[in-house]
Amino acid sequence: MARRSVTNDNTSSHQHDKSVEITSVAHQEKPLRKRARISSQKSDPSQSKAQIVENSDSPCEIESIKKLNSKERMPEEFRQVKGKRGLLEWLAKEVLFDVILEEIFCYAEPGDLLRLSRTSRDLRTILMSRRYEYIWRSARENVAGLPPLPDDLNESQYAHLLFDASCYICKRKGCENILWTFRARVCHKCATSLEHNEKYLSRQPLEYRNLGILPSEYVQIGRERILVGSNRYARKFETEFQLMKTEYEREEWVTQKQKELEAIQEHAILCIQWRESTLSNRTQELDALQKERKQNIIARLSTLGWGREALLMDKKYQSNFSDHRLVKQPKALTDRDWKRMRGELLNLLSRHRQYRQRKEWSDSLVKLYACAAKIYIGIRDTLDPRQPLPAIGDVLISMNLSDHFDQYLPPLADVSSMISEWLPDGIAKWRPEKTQELIDLLENSGTTVCKPDAATSVFECKARGCGEVLLYPEMFYHVCCLPNQAPDPYGGNYPKPYRWRKSYGGPWTSKSILFSRKISRVSKKVVEACGLDPATATVQDLYDANPLIECTNCACPDGSRYFTWWPLILSHTPSHSIIVHTSASATLKSEIAATLPSYDESLSCSHCHSTIPKDSIRSHLEAAHSINLAERKSLLVLDLQAIQEHWYFPLLQEPSVCLFRPGHYKVEASQLA
């Protein structure tokens, strides 16, 4: 690997220069032959053209014929080349030699000299001669901060290592991976074949295998770092080591190799620092050119009225304008470039303006709906939820606020007044329509009682993973009945604010619930046991009765019995046998309730419809509504049946549907009538 790099640019003799293999050689122009004298006896195209030239009196005709002949003589590989050919050859032959050396080459850089040496045989003969080595030295001094020439390389080899980005093994261009220890550029694909492993070390002589004199270097390939070595260096070291006869010579040889490796590594550190500094400076220069080009483009766009749009595109939408291929270029903007790119940039900004306006309008709609939802929630908290109330999606879609406010966000007072004006008539129109959906659902199920608020009208959610039992009017506040994908209220004329649908849900629908026959039979049994008519008994009638219900299937062997309440029995297994104790004493109910925790249960006030903890409902009624409950106070605070008309179970939250929880209790038969 390293031998190839050294031999390619070694300039020890002129004969050796002829055998050097260069990957990029320019086509050489051959000197033209003298035109043979045309015989008058031959009749060919060239003879007729020559006679036309000699016999023609018009200079224009002669010039056109000469151009035609020159095109025919031009080699095929130079047909597409613009400009005059052979200038470098003319430079080497005609210009004074001292002028070339002193005034041109000494002010170039090593990379420029390396490329010049590959353009012409005459220039290569001059630049690769040891006599003119001072030219390379002067060129190397023109590069700021470049480390000095190492002892194991000549000037052209050093320039080849630093400025020729091609792999030394496969000759692939664009290789930026430099192995400074081996003085070579090796691409990542070729570096994998140079892996420095145990097998490689086992082939080295044992005497110096682990002395650290063998050159090696780490190469980063993706996320892995591998150690690479050189078989050429290994063979060279082995040959030199075998020539040493005495132990002293071998020790001296090892010491010398250690010093050489240390010198190479120290020089490699200097080269790495110089290269990183050069790349950093170059990156800063390119960034400055890109910034200047962008500012120039924005200045020209500002004269056309599009400068602000370009700045908005950079500020809000992830720098799409700065990353555009016409803007992100490290070169100055010329008038010719501007004429070529102006139309494309104007089309880009025009499309962005349309997108920005649509997005800003959509954002303003989302803010508008969020404001309206907040106002409606505040108003809804003051209303009685025992009569069905529309969901936020129903209100927003029915009002269709985008028709009232176009291209601007209205004040909060305007939205509040609109909602307050819409609510009475809107609720009066919405409630019968949605109640009719429940009636149609009951009629289609074949039940005899088609009243949604009847105690025997029990619904069940059929959404996956839910299955919740719902009584009137709980289904109007069930989350599965408020789909996220609401119908489009804009008719395709306005952007669709999907975000408020996800946050607040769409209009209420009965598609996710169904009438449950099994659970309705259980409810009918409880109604009949309480002495009520299944056709007329409502949900509130059973709340007022509050029967104690026992499941005989869930009794324990220790004698404890399982008791539950309305409507928790509806969530119990429908196939179990139950006994309804309607005449159970209030004392027994209170004793059972007293054994259960009650910190997570709340009730709603029938007067202000606010949610109050169960233990504080009495004090709230006395303090906030001046209701005297002293005469109706029970022995236990948890027994609230005496003031049933002043509270109800919450519907808008995730409520507990009963004052007490089910469980096992040891109750004597004598305590139950």
Side-chain angles (χ1 to χ4, degrees):
M1 173 181 62
R3 176 178 296 176
R4 179 178 300 176
S5 65
V6 172
T7 0
N8 281 348
D9 288 326
N10 193 2
T11 59
S12 58
S13 63
H14 179 68
Q15 294 179 355
H16 186 66
D17 289 341
K18 295 181 179 179
S19 63
V20 174
E21 297 179 1
I22 304 298
T23 57
S24 178
V25 181
H27 297 285
Q28 303 295 330
E29 181 184 3
K30 298 180 179 180
L32 298 178
R33 296 180 179 178
K34 294 184 179 179
R35 180 181 295 178
R37 182 172 294 177
I38 301 174
S39 174
S40 60
Q41 298 177 358
K42 295 181 180 181
S43 59
D44 54 50
S46 61
Q47 178 184 7
S48 60
K49 291 176 183 178
Q51 291 177 357
I52 293 173
V53 172
E54 294 176 359
N55 298 331
S56 178
D57 296 333
S58 174
C60 297
E61 295 179 2
I62 296 175
E63 186 67 23
S64 62
I65 295 172
K66 288 183 178 181
K67 289 182 179 179
L68 180 61
N69 291 337
S70 65
K71 288 184 179 180
E72 293 177 355
R73 291 193 302 270
M74 184 178 296
E76 183 65 27
E77 59 268 22
F78 293 111
R79 291 290 175 87
Q80 302 298 329
V81 177
K82 296 181 180 180
K84 297 181 180 181
R85 296 179 291 113
L87 290 181
L88 290 176
E89 183 181 6
W90 172 85
L91 176 67
K93 291 181 178 180
E94 302 298 334
V95 179
L96 293 177
F97 195 62
D98 293 339
V99 175
I100 295 176
L101 297 181
E102 301 294 338
E103 302 296 337
I104 299 179
F105 290 168
C106 288
Y107 289 95
E109 293 186 358
D112 302 329
L113 295 181
L114 190 66
R115 286 183 285 272
L116 282 173
S117 66
R118 297 173 179 176
T119 56
S120 170
R121 182 177 299 176
D122 296 326
L123 290 176
R124 181 172 181 82
T125 303
I126 296 172
L127 294 174
M128 293 302 175
S129 175
R130 286 188 176 181
R131 178 182 176 185
Y132 302 109
E133 190 175 357
Y134 71 93
I135 299 176
W136 292 87
R137 192 179 305 111
S138 300
R140 181 163 48 83
E141 293 174 355
N142 294 332
V143 181
L146 184 64
L149 179 70
D151 297 335
D152 56 335
L153 296 178
N154 58 30
E155 293 286 356
S156 60
Q157 292 172 347
Y158 194 33
H160 179 59
L161 176 65
L162 295 176
F163 300 102
D164 187 5
S166 59
C167 179
Y168 280 31
I169 298 178
C170 64
K171 305 301 180 184
R172 183 179 299 173
K173 298 294 183 181
C175 176
E176 298 295 339
N177 183 41
I178 304 178
L179 303 181
W180 299 101
T181 305
F182 302 108
R183 311 298 195 195
R185 287 177 181 257
V186 182
C187 63
H188 290 159
K189 183 178 180 180
C190 297
T192 55
S193 62
L194 306 174
E195 189 168 355
H196 186 101
N197 49 25
E198 296 296 333
K199 186 177 180 181
Y200 169 82
L201 288 176
S202 64
R203 296 194 300 266
Q204 315 308 322
L206 184 61
E207 291 81 0
Y208 64 85
R209 180 185 303 173
N210 300 319
L211 296 180
I213 64 174
L214 287 171
S216 61
E217 189 167 340
Y218 281 98
V219 179
Q220 186 74 30
I221 300 180
R223 296 183 179 181
E224 185 181 3
R225 293 180 77 239
I226 63 173
L227 188 66
V228 298
S230 172
N231 291 324
R232 189 186 75 84
Y233 276 94
R235 290 192 297 268
K236 178 183 177 183
F237 280 26
E238 185 177 2
T239 303
E240 293 179 1
F241 185 78
Q242 291 175 356
L243 294 176
M244 304 300 168
K245 302 301 182 183
T246 64
E247 187 69 23
Y248 176 76
E249 290 179 350
R250 291 183 176 182
E251 291 179 359
E252 289 292 330
W253 178 82
V254 170
T255 304
Q256 180 185 355
K257 292 302 178 183
Q258 289 177 347
K259 292 181 180 180
E260 290 178 0
L261 184 59
E262 290 178 1
I264 290 175
Q265 291 175 349
E266 291 177 359
H267 188 270
I269 294 175
L270 297 177
C271 291
I272 292 174
Q273 293 175 353
W274 168 81
R275 192 163 183 267
E276 290 179 352
S277 176
T278 303
L279 293 177
S280 177
N281 295 336
R282 182 57 179 166
T283 302
Q284 293 178 3
E285 292 177 3
L286 295 179
D287 292 343
L289 288 174
Q290 291 180 6
K291 185 177 180 180
E292 182 181 359
R293 179 184 179 89
K294 176 188 170 183
Q295 292 176 352
N296 195 350
I297 291 175
I298 292 179
R300 292 174 183 256
L301 289 173
S302 298
T303 59
L304 301 176
W306 291 92
R308 180 178 175 274
E309 194 67 33
L311 295 176
L312 288 175
M313 189 175 181
D314 259 351
K315 185 178 180 181
K316 295 185 178 180
Y317 303 101
Q318 301 178 354
S319 302
N320 291 332
F321 184 76
S322 296
D323 294 337
H324 194 271
R325 58 180 182 83
L326 296 177
V327 180
K328 194 177 182 180
Q329 294 183 12
K331 62 179 182 180
L333 181 67
T334 62
D335 294 338
R336 181 179 179 182
D337 294 339
W338 173 247
K339 291 180 181 179
R340 177 175 50 85
M341 62 191 291
R342 178 177 58 184
E344 184 174 351
L345 289 181
L346 292 180
N347 291 334
L348 173 68
L349 294 175
S350 178
R351 294 193 302 269
H352 175 264
R353 174 179 286 180
Q354 297 176 2
Y355 166 75
R356 178 179 58 81
Q357 291 176 349
R358 289 196 303 268
K359 192 174 186 307
E360 290 177 353
W361 174 230
S362 177
D363 292 343
S364 65
L365 284 180
V366 170
K367 293 180 181 179
L368 177 64
Y369 291 132
C371 174
K374 184 178 180 180
I375 295 173
Y376 173 66
I377 291 174
I379 298 176
R380 188 189 63 181
D381 290 342
T382 62
L383 302 177
D384 188 357
R386 288 174 291 183
Q387 295 298 325
L389 296 176
I392 299 176
D394 293 290
V395 176
L396 297 180
I397 290 178
S398 299
M399 294 184 64
N400 201 359
L401 297 176
S402 58
D403 289 346
H404 300 277
F405 305 104
D406 189 11
Q407 301 295 334
Y408 79 98
L409 188 64
L412 184 64
D414 295 350
V415 180
S416 179
S417 60
M418 287 184 58
I419 293 177
S420 300
E421 294 175 1
W422 178 87
L423 277 180
D425 296 336
I427 293 177
K429 180 181 179 182
W430 174 87
R431 188 175 291 163
E433 293 178 357
K434 301 304 179 180
T435 305
Q436 186 61 39
E437 289 187 24
L438 293 180
I439 296 174
D440 296 340
L441 190 62
L442 292 172
E443 291 178 350
N444 295 333
S445 63
T447 181
T448 56
V449 180
C450 295
K451 294 175 58 180
D453 59 342
T456 56
S457 299
V458 183
F459 297 86
E460 187 177 8
C461 180
K462 60 182 179 180
R464 179 181 295 180
C466 184
E468 186 174 344
V469 178
L470 301 171
L471 294 172
Y472 186 88
E474 292 175 347
M475 67 282 298
F476 290 102
Y477 310 108
H478 187 56
V479 66
C480 297
C481 297
L482 306 174
N484 289 336
Q485 296 297 330
D488 182 11
Y490 311 112
N493 298 325
Y494 299 94
K496 302 176 182 179
Y498 292 103
R499 281 177 282 177
W500 72 262
R501 302 184 194 180
K502 186 175 181 180
S503 301
Y504 308 114
W508 184 88
T509 177
S510 60
K511 294 181 179 180
S512 61
I513 59 175
L514 52 83
F515 175 74
S516 178
R517 290 184 175 273
K518 291 183 179 180
I519 303 177
S520 295
R521 293 194 192 102
V522 177
S523 179
K524 183 178 180 181
K525 185 175 181 180
V526 176
V527 170
E528 292 175 347
C530 293
L532 301 175
D533 184 4
T536 58
T538 63
V539 175
Q540 188 61 38
D541 293 338
L542 282 183
Y543 276 130
D544 296 337
N546 194 21
L548 183 63
I549 306 169
E550 179 183 0
C551 177
T552 58
N553 295 78
C554 296
C556 292
D558 62 353
S560 60
R561 301 160 69 176
Y562 184 83
F563 293 92
T564 184
W565 316 82
W566 169 269
L568 296 182
I569 189 59
L570 301 180
S571 301
H572 199 63
T573 306
S575 59
H576 284 194
S577 299
I578 62 173
I579 300 176
V580 182
H581 301 284
T582 56
S583 58
S585 64
T587 305
L588 175 61
K589 295 180 181 179
S590 300
E591 290 177 356
I592 295 177
T595 62
L596 298 175
S598 60
Y599 57 87
D600 59 344
E601 295 180 352
S602 300
L603 300 175
S604 293
C605 177
S606 299
H607 303 280
C608 62
H609 307 292
S610 57
T611 303
I612 308 297
K614 184 171 59 176
D615 296 340
S616 306
I617 188 67
R618 285 180 174 271
S619 59
H620 169 76
L621 293 173
E622 293 175 352
H625 304 290
S626 302
I627 300 176
N628 186 10
L629 302 176
E631 298 178 356
R632 302 163 63 180
K633 188 173 182 180
S634 176
L635 297 177
L636 295 175
V637 178
L638 297 178
D639 185 9
L640 301 176
Q641 284 187 289
I643 55 172
Q644 182 85 38
E645 69 274 13
H646 296 292
W647 59 267
Y648 60 91
F649 294 108
L651 298 172
L652 299 180
Q653 292 82 23
E654 291 292 334
S656 59
V657 293
C658 187
L659 288 177
F660 316 123
R661 296 178 181 177
H664 289 84
Y665 311 96
K666 289 188 176 182
V667 177
E668 300 295 335
S670 59
Q671 295 181 271
L672 299 172

